[in-house]
């Protein structure tokens, strides 16, 4: 039984609240003889859910099983209790093999599924992807990746304006896989067509797509205005100007934003040289850029830092930050019956924050990943 915290529930925040945990689940009441932990002055929020993450702790989701688990556990220590492993553009055969390995870890419950960010993206907006490995989104090849993931593919980012793009969006929607619009040079009308075909996510809105223009509003306007679309935002102070984040958040509304990390190997580690897929990356002062060309190459963000920034710098309410980091991505993944909010019957995934929103404890399925050090 955790007592005394500000407990953030779907209905609002309960000051001096209580939360009972038994057998890995949140319960209505604590079992007899339950240990009581006084967390007065802290905040209790649901575990964070990251739907776009490439690695951390010096390890990548393109590596072997040990590397993958290193990255997963690094982010768990920062409050991400549910994580989708993202793969960058590479040779198709390599992506198929990596999907097979990641699917095993998804079946074991270590990750929530797989996100393919490429290779079906625009060379005009490739960002930190290898241009020579890009290809048009042929539905047969998209299907090949879905099949390799053995039911654990959660999302595919693609540029719908490319040949086969709209048909691939329809294919993904038919198979229950999120079609995400990103790394795209699409115009407004092409983006609307993709949304009507079944696309429901904007991959890191603003980044790797045409800028908003008053005569050519492009994909940003189409993705922001449509109630069917959830927009990813990277709140690290580098990818987005605060005004752009505020524009997106307040136009889409708190129910349509998912904060992501887009993290690469350096998350949780620090500056140095790393690889993102086949490309070399230099991380300096926490900002990751390609050695060749200088393009931003993912981030070093962790979601505890994103949460703190959201409420202290961006001045979002704690309740809206919880939606963007937990409830909304859980709903997107179809897991909101188990995670994403603090409710009886759901997994005991929670994050304990102090009065300044610094992480002090992480619980996943009723077990402390980071045990709180309390007086």
């Amino acid at each position: 039984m955790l007592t005394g915290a500000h407990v953030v529930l779907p209905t609002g925040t309960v000051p001096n609240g209580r939360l009972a945990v038994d057998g890995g689940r949140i319960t209505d009441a604590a079992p007899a003889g339950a240990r009581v932990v006084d967390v007065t002055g802290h905040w209790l929020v649901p575990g964070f859910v990251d739907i776009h993450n490439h690695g951390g702790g010096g390890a990548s989701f393109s590596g072997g099983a040990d590397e993958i688990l290193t990255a997963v556990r690094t982010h768990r220590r920062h409050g991400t209790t549910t994580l989708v492993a993202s793969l960058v553009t590479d040779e198709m055969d390599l992506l198929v093999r990596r999907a097979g390995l990641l699917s095993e870890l998804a079946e074991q419950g270590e990750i929530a599924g797989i996100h393919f960010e490429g290779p079906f993206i625009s060379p005009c907006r490739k960002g930190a992807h290898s241009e020579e490995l890009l290809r048009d989104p042929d539905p047969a090849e998209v299907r090949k990746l879905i099949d390799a993931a053995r039911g654990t593919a959660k999302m595919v980012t693609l540029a719908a304006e490319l040949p086969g793009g709209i048909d691939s969006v329809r294919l993904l929607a038919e198979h229950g896989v999120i079609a995400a619009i990103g790394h795209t040079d699409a115009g407004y009308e092409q983006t609307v067509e993709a949304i009507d075909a079944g696309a429901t996510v904007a991959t890191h809105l603003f980044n790797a797509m045409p800028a908003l223009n008053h005569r050519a509003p492009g994909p940003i306007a189409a993705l922001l205005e449509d109630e069917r679309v959830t927009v990813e935002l990277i709140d690290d102070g580098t990818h987005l100007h605060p005004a752009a984040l505020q524009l997106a958040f307040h136009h889409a509304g708190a129910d349509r934003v998912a904060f992501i990390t887009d993290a690469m190997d350096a998350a949780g580690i620090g500056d140095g040289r790393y690889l993102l897929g086949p490309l070399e990356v230099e991380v300096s002062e926490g900002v990751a850029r390609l050695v060749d060309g200088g393009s931003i190459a993912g981030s070093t963000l962790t979601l505890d830092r994103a949460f703190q920034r959201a409420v202290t710098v961006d001045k979002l309410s704690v309740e809206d930050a919880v939606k963007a980091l937990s409830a909304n991505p859980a709903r997107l993944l179809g897991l909101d019956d188990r995670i994403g909010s603090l409710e009886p019957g759901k997994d005991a995934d929670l994050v304990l924050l102090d009065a300044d929103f610094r992480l002090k404890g992480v619980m996943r399925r009723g077990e402390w990943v980071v045990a709180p050090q309390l007086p």
Side-chain angles (χ1 to χ4, degrees), residues 317-362:
S317 70
V318 173
E319 293 82 3
D320 282 352
V322 165
K323 287 182 179 180
L325 277 92
S326 302
N328 297 343
R331 184 181 66 250
L332 267 177
L333 297 177
L335 299 175
D336 50 328
D337 60 332
R338 286 182 33 225
I339 61 170
S341 60
L342 302 179
E343 296 179 88
K346 292 193 176 183
D347 291 352
D349 292 355
L350 57 89
V351 176
L352 183 69
L353 305 166
D354 68 11
D356 295 316
F357 302 100
R358 293 174 299 205
L359 184 142
K360 293 298 179 181
V362 180

Side-chain angles (χ1 to χ4, degrees), residues 149-167:
R150 300 201 306 259
T152 67
K154 291 296 183 182
M155 183 161 66
V156 176
T157 292
L158 51 76
E161 76 277 9
L162 296 176
I166 296 299
D167 286 341

Side-chain angles (χ1 to χ4, degrees), residues 24 77 96 101 136 212 235 248 332 350:
R77 291 193 294 272
V96 165
L101 175 57
D136 291 337
L212 188 65
D235 193 7
L332 267 177
L350 57 89

Side-chain angles (χ1 to χ4, degrees), residues 55-292:
S60 164
F61 292 126
S62 296
D66 289 344
E67 272 197 74
I68 293 166
L69 291 174
T70 293
V72 168
R73 289 163 184 166
T74 295
H75 286 282
R76 279 186 195 161
R77 291 193 294 272
H78 289 275
T80 299
T81 51
T82 301
L83 180 149
V84 173
S86 301
L87 294 173
V88 293
T89 297
D90 216 320
E91 298 282 359
M92 280 295 291
D93 288 346
L94 277 176
L95 290 174
V96 165
R97 289 202 296 272
R98 287 167 183 161
L101 175 57
L102 287 168
S103 70
E104 293 176 11
L105 294 170
E107 290 159 3
Q108 295 166 19
E110 297 290 351
I111 61 173
I114 306 168
H115 165 215
F116 297 98
E117 189 187 16
F120 311 114
I121 61 176
S122 170
C124 302
R125 306 286 174 177
K126 65 182 184 299
H129 292 253
S130 181
E131 184 168 355
E132 60 268 23
L133 297 175
L134 300 181
R135 56 183 66 211
D136 291 337
D138 179 346
E141 294 203 317
V142 174
R143 178 64 186 268
K144 185 177 181 180
L145 291 183
I146 296 173
D147 289 346
R150 300 201 306 259
T152 67
K154 291 296 183 182
M155 183 161 66
V156 176
T157 292
L158 51 76
E161 76 277 9
L162 296 176
I166 296 299
D167 286 341
S168 291
V169 168
R170 292 195 184 98
L171 172 75
L172 291 166
E174 289 167 3
H175 285 81
V177 179
I178 297 166
I181 302 302
H183 289 276
T184 178
D185 205 38
Y188 175 85
E189 290 78 9
Q190 290 170 314
T191 308
V192 169
E193 184 182 6
I195 296 168
D196 287 340
T200 56
V201 165
T203 293
H204 43 53
L205 187 76
F206 296 110
N207 299 117
M209 60 181 62
L212 188 65
N213 181 280
H214 63 297
R215 291 195 183 93
I220 293 172
L223 293 162
L224 276 178
E225 72 182 6
D226 199 299
E227 295 293 325
R228 294 170 290 183
V229 176
T230 298
V231 298
E232 294 181 348
L233 298 175
I234 308 171
D235 193 7
D236 62 351
T238 298
H239 279 78
L240 297 174
H241 188 283
L245 184 139
Q246 291 286 346
L247 172 72
F249 199 95
H250 292 295
H251 190 84
D255 292 328
R256 289 181 47 219
V257 171
F259 284 146
I260 61 165
T261 61
D262 195 14
M264 44 79 72
D265 301 26
I269 293 289
D271 292 354
R273 288 252 176 147
Y274 300 86
L275 286 176
L276 182 60
L279 302 179
E280 193 171 14
V281 175
E282 176 79 31
V283 178
S284 177
E285 297 182 355
V287 179
R289 293 185 180 275
L290 289 182
V291 171
D292 183 11

Side-chain angles (χ1 to χ4, degrees), residues 1-4 17-22 27-31 33-39 44 363 368:
M1 174 73 84
L2 302 168
T3 64
R18 295 184 172 192
L19 190 77
V21 174
D22 184 23
T27 60
D28 287 308
R35 177 183 171 219
V36 177
V37 181
D38 184 357
V39 290
L44 271 179
M363 179 181 286
W368 289 111

